[in-house]
Amino acid sequence: MAPTLSTAQFADPAEVTEFVVNKGNGVKGLSETGIKALPDQYIQPFEERLINKFVNETDEAIPVIDMSDPDEHKVAEAICDAAEKWGFFQVINHGVPLDVLENVKAATHRFFNLPVEEKSKYTKENSLSTNVRFGTSFSPRAEKALEWKDYLSLFFVSEAEAEQFWPDVCKNEALEYMNKSKTMVRKLLEYLGKNLNVKELDETKESLFMGSIRVNLNYYPICPNPDLTVGVGRHSDVSSLTILLQDQIGGLHVRSLSSGNWVHVPPVPGSFVINIGDAMQILSNGRYKSVEHRVLANGSNNRISVPIFVNPKPESVIGPLPEVVAKGEEPIYKDVVYSDYVRYFFKKAHDGKKTVDFAKI
């Protein structure tokens, strides 16, 4: 049987890289050629493929917290408890209007449905701003195996900068999503802070916990042989907090701290998935946990997600908060400049929880 164009076209790894990475087609473009077999450079190592087989073997579930409960003390307690025991939780009735969420999901589809020539204006080589980046996988130059995901990353500097450089098809929706979720983010940080003896989220603390913000639009196209690859490999986030909006497809899994099992985070309509990032783990001196998570590739559906990464300012020095070590608790992390920490994270492939060791004493 003669090979179809697509299998012949992508037999050579260099051609795949050229098409996906350099020409800006992304894995979405690859998926849309109708390829029937996963190209070799997407095949993950044995241990990752093994996890794919065992992800749904548990009935554990991350907490779902109703933020509209009038008993605010109870809400705060549930959030801090989840941050310590799971590092992940979902929130419902969070006060962010649902149409804002629907709009940013629609805008994500609009961006990824643009012709390649349009999207390519935002690749590392072409983008007019270093704060706007259309790319694929995680760190294609550092990875042994690529991940089945395309993304648009938007680092917020100012409304004016966003107005000028963010893509027209999604900028208003992404900005509105970011701005309308701020009250909820402050609330979460207040609850988490109070439990660490941080009396109030003053300007200094606000700049430390949420001094910079990045919004990513993620696209996970239909994948041939999804069991051989991943949408996103095992990693923990470098943020203080990550706020994730996901669609109804599913595929995000979190590693249970108590059992080590991989636990699915089922899509709950109108919810956010919140997780603690490495910066918060360091600031809390290990009380709050930044937990490994990964995303499966999907053989039958395209999936999108829209995370907001709430981070310290790049120039912030992060280490265990004075409020935490005041009571004689031994610091387990040293002070590091946040931008150095992030640079270290992006220099290597996704490798589970190894980044945080960079800050260990």
Side-chain angles (χ1 to χ4, degrees):
M1 187 185 119
T4 58
L5 169 69
S6 56
T7 48
Q9 186 185 353
F10 296 119
D12 174 8
E15 286 169 18
V16 178
T17 306
E18 176 60 23
F19 180 81
V20 175
V21 180
N22 306 341
K23 289 222 167 74
N25 288 285
V27 278
K28 182 174 187 283
L30 194 54
S31 172
E32 286 167 0
T33 64
I35 53 162
K36 296 287 179 277
L38 187 74
D40 286 353
Q41 60 256 65
Y42 288 92
I43 299 175
Q44 292 288 320
F46 177 70
E47 50 282 20
E48 293 305 317
R49 301 195 314 256
L50 200 59
I51 296 172
N52 287 349
K53 296 222 182 323
F54 290 105
V55 285
N56 292 324
E57 302 279 303
T58 177
D59 51 8
E60 295 164 273
I62 71 166
V64 178
I65 300 167
D66 184 345
M67 288 185 77
S68 68
D69 189 316
D71 185 348
E72 201 175 359
H73 178 74
K74 191 176 124 194
V75 175
E77 207 170 353
I79 284 168
C80 295
D81 191 57
E84 291 180 30
K85 294 196 173 74
W86 278 97
F88 263 85
F89 52 94
Q90 302 206 59
V91 292
I92 54 172
N93 299 322
H94 41 64
V96 185
L98 297 183
D99 63 330
V100 172
L101 309 190
E102 290 312 310
N103 291 345
V104 78
K105 284 193 283 192
T108 299
H109 281 287
R110 269 203 307 279
F111 176 78
F112 286 100
N113 286 331
L114 288 172
V116 176
E117 308 75 72
E118 278 302 306
K119 287 184 290 197
S120 291
K121 291 179 181 166
Y122 304 101
T123 58
K124 186 177 182 179
E125 294 67 42
N126 302 336
S127 184
L128 298 172
S129 163
T130 52
N131 301 314
V132 178
R133 164 86 49 89
F134 166 59
T136 189
S137 193
F138 171 65
S139 205
R141 285 155 192 83
E143 288 161 316
K144 290 195 255 315
L146 298 177
E147 300 175 349
W148 198 260
K149 171 187 122 172
D150 298 330
Y151 65 86
L152 175 70
S153 186
L154 303 166
F155 183 77
F156 181 78
V157 178
S158 68
E159 295 274 343
E161 206 264 0
E163 186 53 49
Q164 189 179 354
F165 295 111
W166 291 15
D168 286 339
V169 290
C170 59
K171 77 174 158 205
N172 295 343
E173 294 79 2
L175 281 169
E176 189 180 31
Y177 168 49
M178 190 186 79
N179 290 326
K180 288 272 159 68
S181 63
K182 278 223 172 100
T183 309
M184 175 194 70
V185 168
R186 274 198 193 90
K187 192 105 253 161
L188 293 170
L189 289 170
E190 249 163 57
Y191 293 152
L192 292 165
K194 279 216 172 77
N195 189 41
L196 299 173
N197 293 319
V198 174
K199 300 285 178 274
E200 60 156 349
L201 208 58
D202 58 20
E203 256 174 72
T204 316
K205 285 290 187 288
E206 195 161 302
S207 135
L208 189 58
F209 286 126
M210 54 184 294
S212 70
I213 293 187
R214 180 184 295 280
V215 182
N216 275 16
L217 314 185
N218 292 331
Y219 193 92
Y220 303 91
I222 294 171
C223 180
N225 319 111
D227 45 331
L228 299 181
T229 190
V230 288
V232 179
R234 286 185 294 139
H235 69 288
S236 63
D237 295 347
V238 289
S239 56
S240 319
L241 273 187
T242 302
I243 313 299
L244 178 81
L245 172 63
Q246 60 169 343
D247 65 13
Q248 293 309 297
I249 305 301
L252 170 64
H253 290 82
V254 170
R255 193 173 209 153
S256 162
L257 285 168
S258 57
S259 69
N261 290 329
W262 290 94
V263 178
H264 187 231
V265 180
V268 172
S271 74
F272 286 117
V273 180
I274 312 289
N275 67 281
I276 301 296
D278 292 353
M280 181 67 79
Q281 178 170 318
I282 292 167
L283 291 162
S284 72
N285 202 32
R287 181 185 295 189
Y288 299 143
K289 310 294 192 299
S290 169
V291 166
E292 276 185 274
H293 48 288
R294 69 203 294 280
V295 176
L296 292 178
N298 189 307
S300 38
N301 293 101
N302 299 312
R303 173 180 182 266
I304 59 159
S305 71
V306 196
I308 297 176
F309 298 101
V310 179
N311 308 309
K313 271 205 161 62
E315 62 275 20
S316 292
V317 173
I318 58 166
L321 290 163
E323 290 87 342
V324 176
V325 291
K327 296 181 300 195
E329 193 178 302
E330 267 313 297
I332 56 174
Y333 299 107
K334 56 182 186 224
D335 288 351
V336 292
V337 177
Y338 183 63
S339 57
D340 291 344
Y341 186 80
V342 173
R343 199 169 300 121
Y344 175 69
F345 176 66
F346 281 103
K347 265 218 296 262
K348 55 193 183 29
H350 279 148
D351 57 2
K353 282 283 302 168
K354 297 205 182 103
T355 315
V356 80
D357 295 342
F358 179 76
K360 274 249 164 68
I361 281 181

